[in-house]
């Protein structure tokens, strides 16, 4: 069961990190908050730092179960799956991205701490 929780936490952290990094970009921020909206500089820095931290936590969750080689492979697979999910979400339902990031971050922290 711990392996499944680690995988879920890793995917959620990957999704959260990639979504935070994408929301730091003006184009995706404007997709969610309306045309012409630009993120403040402080928010951009926070999103970039939070996205990087989430990706590091995803990497640590991937390394929890086994060897380093297997963990790197799991992390790259999680990044790929999260990127595909985020691209589809940003393409078809961009306004849903903000809420899904918050839910994903909360889920990732709960599963990471309970595993």
């Amino acid at each position: 069961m711990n392996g499944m929780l680690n995988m879920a936490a890793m995917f959620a952290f990957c999704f959260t990190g990639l979504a935070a990094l994408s929301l730091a970009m003006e184009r995706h921020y404007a997709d969610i908050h309306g045309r012409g909206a630009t993120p403040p500089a402080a928010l951009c820095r926070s999103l970039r730092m939070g996205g990087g931290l989430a990706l590091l936590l995803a990497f640590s969750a991937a390394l929890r179960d086994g060897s380093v080689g297997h963990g790197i492979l799991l992390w790259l697979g999680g990044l790929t799956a999260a990127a595909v999910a985020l691209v589809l979400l940003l393409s078809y339902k961009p306004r849903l991205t903000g809420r899904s990031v918050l839910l994903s971050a909360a889920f990732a922290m709960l599963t990471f701490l309970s595993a």
Side-chain angles (χ1 to χ4, degrees):
M1 187 68 170
N2 261 351
M4 293 297 286
L5 286 177
N6 278 337
M7 289 289 289
M10 183 206 48
F11 176 78
F13 276 131
C14 285
F15 182 81
T16 302
L18 290 175
L21 290 174
S22 72
L23 289 177
M25 298 171 59
E26 288 182 14
R27 176 178 180 159
H28 298 302
Y29 187 85
D31 285 342
I32 293 172
H33 296 287
R35 184 174 298 214
T38 57
L43 180 63
C44 279
R45 273 192 305 275
S46 298
L47 285 171
R48 287 182 187 130
M49 295 280 285
L53 179 64
L55 292 178
L56 283 175
L57 286 170
F59 187 64
S60 70
L63 292 177
R64 272 183 160 183
D65 282 337
S67 66
V68 173
H70 189 251
I72 292 172
L73 184 65
L74 284 175
W75 184 62
L76 291 174
L79 279 175
T80 303
V84 168
L86 184 62
V87 164
L88 290 173
L89 187 63
L90 282 172
S91 296
Y92 295 109
K93 294 280 188 183
R95 294 198 183 256
L96 190 62
T97 305
R99 283 177 275 175
S100 64
V101 169
L102 293 175
L103 287 173
S104 176
F107 176 76
M109 287 306 294
L110 288 174
T111 54
F112 187 72
L113 294 175
S114 67

